[in-house]
Amino acid sequence: MLPPLSVSPSEAPAAKPGRDDKRSSAATSRSRSRPTAAPTVAPAVAATQGGAQQPSALNLNRQNGSGSRLGLTPLQIPASVETITSQTIAERGQHNVTDAITQNAAGFTALSAPGNGGLSFSTRGFAGSNSVMTLYDGTRLYVGSGTLTFPFDTWSADRIEVLRGPASVLYGEGAIGGIVNVIPKKPTTTPTNDAEMSVDSNMTRRLSFDSGGPINPNVSYRVNATGNMSDGWVDRDRTSNVAVSAAVRVQASDNLAFTLSEDYGDRSPSRYFGTPLINGTIVDALRFKNYNASDSTIRYQDNWTRFKTEWDVADGIKVNNTLYYLTSERHWRDIESYTWNPAIQSISRANYIEIFHDQKQAGDRWDTTFTGHIFGLENRLVTGFDVNHIEFFHTNNSPYSGTSSVNPYVFDPGSFFATTVPTTPGFNAIVNQYALFAEDRLALTDQLSLVSGVRYDRPEVDRTDYKVPSNSFDVSLSGTSWRTGLVYEPIRDLAFYGQYAVGTDPVTNLISLSATQKTFQLATGRQTEIGVKQSFWGGRGEWTLAGYEIVKNGLLIPDPTNPAGLALQVGQQSSRGVEASVGLVLNDGWRIDANTALLRARYDNFSQTVGGTIVSYAGNVPINVPQQVSNVWLTWDFAPGWTVYGGAQIVGQAYSDLANTIAMPSYTVVNTGVRWKPDDRTTVAFRVYNLFDKVYATVSPYAGQWILGMPRTAELSVNVKF
């Protein structure tokens, strides 16, 4: 017999006030007669023989709204989807979104750098915000100049959902590799109060608070806030971050609810742009050096306002509408590029960059779900539209001149203002976008279902160039994405699936299109995927296996007849791979979660102009794309109230240049910790990140310059529920 394990259950959707003894007979009748197209969703936990609740390992029976808008579970979706719960994130001490994704989800690695805002990922052979989309509660902030800065902290997250493979059919262009969707905590009708304090060996002080509950029978709320300050682990790199989230839900009637939410982030993140290589390697003595200017600065301010309407119109008809307004203001003032100069035995610094982003986005997403039957077969259909208006103002000191040299070991960091190039308005981009979409699930038999979707996107870009007025332009683009797949469940909780998907990517972020790119259409990617998923042993064991191939066409390469002229949109990139995950809750308090991703990513037809000559990179691996990624977590409840755990993140070799001559070595990082619960309301945790103090590189922002991972760091935290 398996021993009981006490866990906090996943948060259920808020109950609708009024559906109790006072509800009308008409409402009761309608609720009982409403048909359901999708099979009944199994609970996310399974009862033990003793009646205690155990968590499922991979959440295969928990609805995943990021892989489908039809309210399906991962077992019912013909795609690779995954849910990372807030409980898992908290237990493993993953305070930021990047760690939560890369240390838990199969096949994801981070490309985080100060220049891209720290929210950039690689998966299935495709890298960057152009190909791996990040969303917040299903809403995307259009990426300007490769930068996304929110959401960044996990305290406000109820869960994080990922979808691997083309997701354009759900979210539009820019998701050939996949998506990451951070779902915030929602208003709840059950009172909850939670506070946490922590400090680590880098002098990172963190304070967090969360509160939710009913205001009256028809109104509930949720508010949480977190802030941290740190001395950083490299020289002169103090940081501070604040995130606040608040939401109020009003149950206006039995079938109508409104939710107003506000999210705010204010960050002064790390100003460490990386460590230069000396003779092609990292010198230990440079590990903690920061070559940025003494007066460098980075600051991000993000604000998201959303108003959501949920309306059960009639039996089998449900309407959701989300109206949102997003703003982001960013500022960089940095020296970003560092190169070893053997002739003078010094570090040459270049790219004195000052940039301001002022971005606004207003949008609305409407979808209607119809549940019923077609020719006697259960069917669920969702149709809708998505519209956005984006304004992006870019101020800079291009052409980013300024150079200096410093001693690698002892140096005066100097001032950014050594450069004389003024910071002036660069360009303004206005993007108007609309999309129409539909998704359908048809139950062909009790065991076989067909899930398909289609989306049409129409973005229009109007760019005003203030530095070179002749480079101003306006252009309209369009793209159609679609997906179709079959799911076969021969027995309960075992699903085989296959799918074919078509997605689109822009040649660069849409709102950053330049005059030389205005004539190009959206690149197209096609994926074929097959897989199997199973939940067994009453939900204590789950596993998934998937194989795929993605081919992306429409990359830009130089014109052989005119290398200095416009490029040709005929390049091709491909990847094929296998991904596997397993989760087991075992006897005597043991639990194991593991995943691995093996891929072959290549440029099939790709070249660049180097020194006036066209150089082909066909057959090479894309930059910052490792071809083996694994995660393993082992947890043991070794005594009442005591838990010890350990996790290993294993990342294969990646290249930092197109020629594949500079390889970032593979690495394994081990994190561990122990938790003590003296009572049901208190948790004390001691964690050690990078236990063996591994020196490793996560990304290469410039050739010959690597951003290193955090050294061994110890943290003590106390969490209290009241």
Side-chain angles (χ1 to χ4, degrees), residues 364-377:
D364 185 79
R365 184 175 62 254
W366 175 292
D367 62 73
T368 304
T369 302
F370 303 91
T371 303
H373 293 78
I374 296 179
F375 302 115
L377 302 177

Side-chain angles (χ1 to χ4, degrees), residues 73 152 306 514 552:
T73 70
F152 57 90
R306 289 165 292 133
S514 67
K552 178 180 176 180

Side-chain angles (χ1 to χ4, degrees), residues 152 212 256 349 431 521 530 566 677:
F152 57 90
L256 181 64
R349 304 188 302 179
V431 179
Q521 294 299 308
I530 58 173
L566 291 176
K677 290 182 67 67

